[in-house]
Every structure is written in structure tokens, then in C-alpha cells.
Amino acid sequence: MEYLLSLIIVCPLVACLFIFMFDDGGAKRFGRIISFIELILVVVLWISYRIDTSDVQFSTKVFLIPQLGIDYFVSVDGISLFLIVLTAFIMVIANIYLQRRDDAKPFVVCLLSLEGILMALFASQNVLLFYVCWELALLPVLYMVGVWGSGQKIYIGLKFFVYTFASSLLMLVSILYVGYLCYQQLGNFNFDLSIWSSGALQIPIELQIWLFLGFFISIAVKIPIIPLHTWLPHIYSEAPALGSVMLSALLSKMGTYALLRFALPLFPDASVHFMPIISVLATIMVIYAGIIAFKQKDIKKVIAYSSISHMGIVVLGVFSFNGEGIGGAIFMMVAHGVTSGALFLLAGMLYYRTSTRHINDFGGIAEVMPHYSFFFALVMLSNVGLPLTIGFVGEFLSLYGYFQTSPIITALAGTTLIISASYMLYLFKNIFYGDSIRNMALYKNLKDLYFKEYCVILPIAVVIVWLGVFPNTILKSMQVSVQQLVGKMYANSQEQDTKKHLLNVNGNLISRLPFYMEETIIDLED
């Protein structure tokens, strides 16, 4: 078990070397086998994970250049575990769905290489390794868009690359500066995240603000947070279906994960300082993107703006700074990955049959595709946040957590339930239950779901219902790690106002874990 996590990272990357030994059909089958093996390994990791300890698990550390603090250091905790599970699940679905009859080999390479990169990113405990994976993750998606996209794919791909790469340079500068602070204060360059967040490194509040901004701007582009979102709707709509799935289900989670892994524990004072501004931006994301989604005529653009709106709720959950909100944000990352990925897949299935995404071209599809309509309705209701679906739990906990900070902002963000219901039900009505099919010549021969499409959508439907009914499947395993994150924030904060705010939003209870003292929960006012 010691090298299980490293095996999960290496397996898809090594498999890429053998793809071109096959023809296109063989490459697709090989990709499905590798992604399925990867999922089995991740399930073994999940089953073997101990939920009663705050220590990182399945650690592997190999020193590369010790003098510069460069090493291969990976491990997993309750925060990263389920993003690794989400990545493995989505990749299996993507490899099964892959429709291409030609050029399949490079597409499979893109999927498997992206899987290995994301596994390394979510498991990384060395910040330089994290940054390398952060940048490398752009390349497979950029290739997908540039080769198999539609419309102005080259312009849109370059816009995506320039936005994300240029902003990431600010993160790199911040990372190198913190490494230099380690040299000044601890005597050696060090990029070990556990050392950075241990409290041994003292970062004054004035410096925290600049370093936080360096990380946050890069993260804000990736999520994306308004007004740094303008690249997203175009690339989501013009990318191939699986490219849109990768962007919405996985790459956007890199940003919110980085907030939890770096911004909050390393710069707690700056996080609390910027919390009001970020919360307002997140609320604007929820309302503005939801209204824009209602006005769209392209199915994929509706889903794209819906994705922005729901990621606003995740950001609010992160900046609640308490167990309920952060746990809800992590759960919603998983829920959003499943539901948004499923919506893009369903949109791709419809486009594959009709070669159009314009909402006004449809009407009455339920008459000829009843099974497709049922599954679209289920995923759509999960996206809206219907109770007993995966979409409800994360939204509720994120908003409940932030209610401790601001009931007013929570109430405004809570309008997502009304706004998302409005545009999703409008979309569903116009596509599936119009007066009649507007173009009978085009739609009279439409086929319902094929066997391969059932294999794609049925597992997603099961996950949507199962985690909606039994959310503790995920929530229980992340609880200790979330408590430890809040404890790190409290211990590393230097300002009394920060400590007071953290106590207020946590009901005066902060978990003190082995990282500091002992594994007990105490009332810090006593």
C-alpha cells in the first residue's frame, strides 16, 4: 500500500507511451481498460483510507535536489481524496463515451495524460510539483480545443492559454518568495507544504496580503471568478464535448482546491481580510451568471454560465472558514463535477444526432427520445439543487456555513435555487416539451440512447441519487481533515481580529489536532 498513490499517478502516464501501438479502435479500448484499472486502484485507496486520523496517508517522498527543496512528495487526506475519486470516475466515463472514429489515439493520450497530471496535482505535498502539474494540465485541454474544437477554436484556445498561463506566473513568483522566506528563517530552501503550514514560518500580515493576491489571482482565473471569467463561456461552447467535460468537471476544481490547500492555511489573516470582497464577487457570480444563463440560446453556453454560478457557491463555502461550509464546498466540488460533466455529455449526445445546439431548433424531443429525456431531467434537477440529489447537499451546507458570517449575503446567494430553476426548467421545456418538433424532417429519425450511452449515463444517475440520499459516504471521510484545516488557520493567524472571526464562525470551537497538540476539541474561550 505504500506506493499505491504513486502507482495511481504513474499508471495513466506510462499507458500513454503504448497508445500509438494500436489502431484507433484498439486505442479506445486500451484507454477504457487503463481508466477502469485506475478507478479500481482509486477505490482501493478510498477503502484503505483511515477516517479517524488527521495525518496525511499513503505518503511517498523521494529527494531530487535537497539543496533547493525540490522533491517528489505525494500523500492524500480527506480534502484531496474525493477529488482523486472524482477524477478517476469522470475519466472512466469520458473514455467510454469517446465517439471519434478517426484521430482517436491522440485524444486518448490527452485524456490519460490529463488524468495522471491531475492525480499528481491533487496528491502533491511539494508546492513546486503542484505548480508544474498546474501548468501541465493546460496542455491536453488546449490540444483538444485546438484540434477538435469548432468555430474560432485557435483564437479561443490561445485566449484560454494566455489567461491561465499569464496569471499563473503570479503564483510562481509567490511560491518562490515563500521558498526564499524558508531560506531566511529556517536556513534552507524548502517547498514542503507541511513545513509551510506548520507555523514554523512567520509571514507578516503586510506580506501575507501580497502573497495571497499572487495565489488568488491565478486561482480566480481557473475557477473562474468574475470578472476574470470571459475566457470560459467561449471555450466551453466551442470545445468538443469531452473537452467541455474536462474543463467543467475537473479543471475548475483545481482552483477551489488550491484555495483550501494554500490560501487558507498559509495566509489566514489575508484570507479573512479579503473575505468580504471575495464573498461579494462570489455572490455576483451566482446571480449575474445565472441571469446571463437564462438569456442564452446555445445549450452549452447555458451550462457554461450555470457552471460559473454554482462555483460561486463553492467559493462562499470555502470562505465560510468553518467545518460545515468547507465540507459543503468540497462536497459541492464533487457534485458540480458530476452534474456539469453529465450535462455537457448529454448536450454532446444531442449535438451528435442533430449537429445543432441552438435551443430554438428543438421542441418535443421527449416524444422520440423518452429515456434520454428522463436522464436529462434527473441531471437537470440535481443541477438545480433538488433535495435527495447530489446537488442539494453541497449547496445547503455551503450556504449554511456562510450564514454564520453574513445572513444577508447568504440570502442573496440562496437565490441560486430560484435562478437556476428558472433557466434550467426553461431550457428543459423548450427542448423536450415544446408544442411540437419544429423540424420533422430532421428529428423524425432520432434514436434514443445507444448501449454505450446507457453505460455512460447510468453510473452518473446512480451517483447523483446515492450521494443525495447518503451524503455521509463522502462527508464522514473528510470531517477530520476539514477540522484540521480550520485549526491550522487559527494557529497560523497573527491578528486578534482573525482569531476572533474564526471563533465566531465556528461557535467558539476550534479543533486542535496532533499538528499542534493533541486530538481533542476544546472551547477556546475557556
Side-chain angles (χ1 to χ4, degrees), residues 216-366:
F216 180 75
I217 292 172
S218 177
I219 292 167
V221 171
K222 192 80 74 175
I223 291 177
I225 293 177
I226 290 175
L228 301 175
H229 71 292
T230 55
W231 61 269
L232 181 142
H234 302 293
I235 196 169
Y236 273 34
S237 59
E238 302 301 338
L242 290 181
S244 301
V245 172
M246 297 301 107
L247 284 162
S248 64
L250 300 178
L251 264 70
S252 62
K253 310 307 174 292
M254 292 165 56
T256 45
Y257 174 76
L259 284 176
L260 293 170
R261 189 58 77 203
F262 301 108
L264 268 60
L266 299 181
F267 318 117
D269 297 301
S271 297
V272 173
H273 175 78
F274 285 108
M275 180 268 296
I277 298 173
I278 295 171
S279 300
V280 169
L281 291 176
T283 307
I284 292 172
M285 287 172 66
V286 172
I287 299 173
Y288 171 77
I291 294 172
I292 297 299
F294 189 83
K295 300 296 292 182
Q296 299 304 305
K297 300 301 181 184
D298 184 310
I299 298 173
K300 289 183 74 174
K301 283 192 176 180
V302 173
I303 303 169
Y305 280 105
S306 173
S307 179
I308 297 175
S309 180
H310 285 90
M311 288 305 290
I313 300 294
V314 176
V315 174
L316 281 179
V318 170
F319 281 87
S320 67
F321 305 132
N322 55 42
E324 295 85 359
I326 293 175
I330 299 169
F331 191 98
M332 192 167 177
M333 282 189 245
V334 176
H336 179 267
V338 173
T339 54
S340 67
L343 284 171
F344 278 116
L345 283 173
L346 289 165
M349 293 175 190
L350 198 57
Y351 181 78
Y352 181 75
R353 290 165 168 78
T354 64
S355 299
T356 180
R357 297 191 303 264
H358 202 280
I359 296 171
N360 291 334
D361 289 340
F362 299 99
I365 294 297

Side-chain angles (χ1 to χ4, degrees), residues 173-186:
V173 172
S174 298
I175 290 171
L176 294 177
Y177 193 87
V178 177
Y180 176 69
L181 286 179
C182 287
Y183 177 77
Q184 283 188 319
Q185 298 182 18
L186 306 179

Side-chain angles (χ1 to χ4, degrees), residues 197-213:
S197 60
S198 67
L201 193 63
Q202 297 298 314
I203 307 177
I205 178 63
E206 297 82 6
L207 187 55
Q208 275 193 41
I209 288 175
W210 289 106
L211 293 173
F212 175 89
L213 287 174

